[in-house]
Amino acid sequence: MLDQGAPPHHDATATAPSPGLAARLVRRKPVERLVAEGGQGEGGSLRRSLGLWQLTMISIGATLGTGIFVVLGEAVPKAGPAVTLSFVIAGLTALFSALSYAELAGTIPVAGSSYSYAYATMGELVAWICGWCLVLEYGVSVAAVAVGWGEYLNELLDGTIGVTLPAVLSAPPGDGGIFNLPALIVVLLAMTFLLGGARESARANTIMVVVKIAALVLFCAIGVQGFRSGNYEHFMPLGMAGVSAAGATLFFSYIGFDAASTAGEEAKNAQRDLPRAIMLSLIIVTVLYVLVAAVAVGAKPWRNFTDSEASLAQIMTDVTGQSFWGTLLAFCAVVAIASVVLTVLYGQTRVLFAMSRDGLVPKVFSKVHPKTGAPRANTVIVSLFCGVLAAAIPLGQLADATSIGTLFAFALVNVAVVVLRRTRPEMPRTFRVPLSPVLPALGFGFCVWMMGSLSTVTWVVFGVWMAAGLVFYFVYGHRRSRLATPDTSEVRTHQK
């Protein structure tokens, strides 16, 4: 005889009212579910093979070199000698956000980085916006750094065999060329390493990081010999507005420290090692950035930083009067910038992996090759997209677009750490932001301030990008989200 007071088994979910649009937009993914799904993909799983050393090298690899080797020449004309102060301001902004990243990475050690943190704390729509910003941050920065790689490649070719690539093949439209072939080549090289798996990519990156640190130490040792105190007269010629504008551009140089958080599902001990790797890498990078910038401006009048992205190699040549040192630095820069492309491209693929697993982007991005443990199709698609972007768009536009996406995502992370403290205070945390919520609030405020320093054109590009992302979300993502329909295992649990 049936129990008249109990609903039929097959109607357990059918009779549940469908949530409205507003409820679907703010649905959150439980932290426990995020962690439980760690490493799982379509057809295979990511492999946990990275320790503290490799994670720190990933963060340094994604960060160190981008601003110094490439964007310094773009930032100095905006701030003058005060570019050193711009680096400090950008570093402080990164530090506040890094503290929040460290806490969340130790609490929610997953591949999605700030996208996943937002999903657990502020709901699906905010998570999508954050993830879309990360696509801009990582994808466009790969292209921007690849452009600078081409500049140093030309310096290296000129110093070794006395030839350079013609502008038509080494510069994008608008900069005197048609197609930036070197930029495309370095992205494809990075793709080749990534297809071999995380462990192999980490080994290659570690070697390149050692080379780039040695190169910057060498630059400081030689560049200081050409130091002229007169180059620091009129320290702030364009005022605080110039310092702020340069700092907003240079924030692009700090995006790498969060790359370790995208490796949460491939770390051996993610909760312990991710916070340490994030903080350690940021400290090392900031110290080197400020030292190199101070030496560079002291050795070369700030008004002369307008002719090439390969400014450090030129300073070495000018100070010594010998092309050998500039050529050596150009070689180190070619290696160093390649590591930035490698590690940032890695971060991009892992963010899309997490978004795909949640159903917000196509499943092809979460397919894992069973032998290598790498998302192969994801890697190829992202690499081709970034390579074409690098070959077709000038560096300055790419750097500013990356900065605004980064700042927006970091602002959300500072909010997320406060929200999770209030909603899940009992969760174990291997690292806690000191003086919370004061420091996260400062991190949020700095990010908003620096976003306001970016140009109107950058804001327009950002607005168009976000509009396109929202259209994609409402047409595709929110309908296919895995949270739209509860897992059958969860339904059975509630029925019991």
Side-chain angles (χ1 to χ4, degrees), residues 29-39 108-112 115-121 265 354 357-358:
K29 189 171 183 179
V31 174
E32 291 77 11
R33 181 170 172 179
L34 279 167
V35 176
E37 291 178 353
I108 314 174
V110 293
Y115 154 77
S116 296
Y117 309 152
Y119 213 164
T121 56
E265 296 174 22
R357 186 172 56 200
D358 292 333

Side-chain angles (χ1 to χ4, degrees), residues 210-286:
V210 172
V211 170
K212 78 169 73 176
I213 292 177
L216 292 177
V217 172
L218 176 65
F219 171 82
C220 289
I222 293 179
V224 75
Q225 299 175 30
F227 192 91
R228 300 291 183 271
S229 59
N231 289 338
Y232 274 92
E233 292 181 359
H234 308 294
F235 180 72
M236 201 179 294
L238 301 175
M240 196 61 198
V243 174
S244 176
T249 297
L250 289 172
F251 192 80
F252 165 82
S253 311
Y254 289 91
I255 66 168
F257 76 80
D258 61 326
S261 66
T262 66
E265 296 174 22
E266 291 163 285
K268 296 177 182 177
N269 191 338
Q271 290 182 311
R272 182 196 67 187
D273 292 341
L274 287 179
R276 296 178 181 180
I278 289 171
M279 298 307 301
L280 183 60
S281 63
L282 183 61
I283 292 171
I284 294 172
V285 165
T286 302

Side-chain angles (χ1 to χ4, degrees), residues 132 136 140 393 397-398 400-402 404 455-468:
W132 195 243
L136 180 66
V140 180
I393 300 180
Q397 297 176 20
L398 289 171
D400 283 349
T402 302
I404 196 168
S455 67
T456 302
V457 173
T458 302
W459 274 99
V460 170
V461 171
F462 182 67
V464 172
W465 175 259
M466 294 308 301

Side-chain angles (χ1 to χ4, degrees), residues 14-183:
T15 58
S18 177
L21 176 61
R24 294 198 299 272
L25 297 181
V26 298
R27 57 194 174 199
R28 293 181 293 180
K29 189 171 183 179
V31 174
E32 291 77 11
R33 181 170 172 179
L34 279 167
V35 176
E37 291 178 353
Q40 299 177 16
E42 294 288 332
S45 300
L46 301 177
R47 297 175 180 174
R48 294 192 178 275
S49 58
L50 305 178
L52 175 61
W53 172 253
Q54 290 92 340
L55 293 171
T56 304
M57 291 299 102
I58 286 175
S59 283
I60 295 177
T63 310
L64 187 60
T66 310
I68 286 297
F69 286 110
V70 179
V71 186
L72 183 64
E74 298 278 337
V76 172
K78 297 180 181 180
V83 71
T84 52
L85 182 58
S86 299
F87 267 114
V88 172
I89 292 174
L92 283 174
T93 304
L95 174 61
F96 291 134
S97 297
L99 292 171
S100 295
Y101 261 101
E103 176 168 329
L104 292 174
T107 309
I108 314 174
V110 293
S113 186
S114 53
Y115 154 77
S116 296
Y117 309 152
Y119 213 164
T121 56
M122 292 175 280
E124 187 170 284
L125 178 60
V126 176
W128 168 263
I129 292 173
C130 188
W132 195 243
C133 285
L134 290 177
V135 172
L136 180 66
E137 171 190 340
Y138 285 111
V140 180
S141 67
V142 167
V145 177
V147 173
W149 187 83
E151 291 281 341
Y152 275 99
L153 179 63
N154 261 338
E155 289 282 332
L156 179 60
L157 292 175
D158 184 41
T160 52
I161 59 177
V163 300
T164 59
L165 295 173
V168 68
L169 292 178
S170 61
D175 277 5
I178 297 177
F179 195 77
N180 193 331
L181 183 60

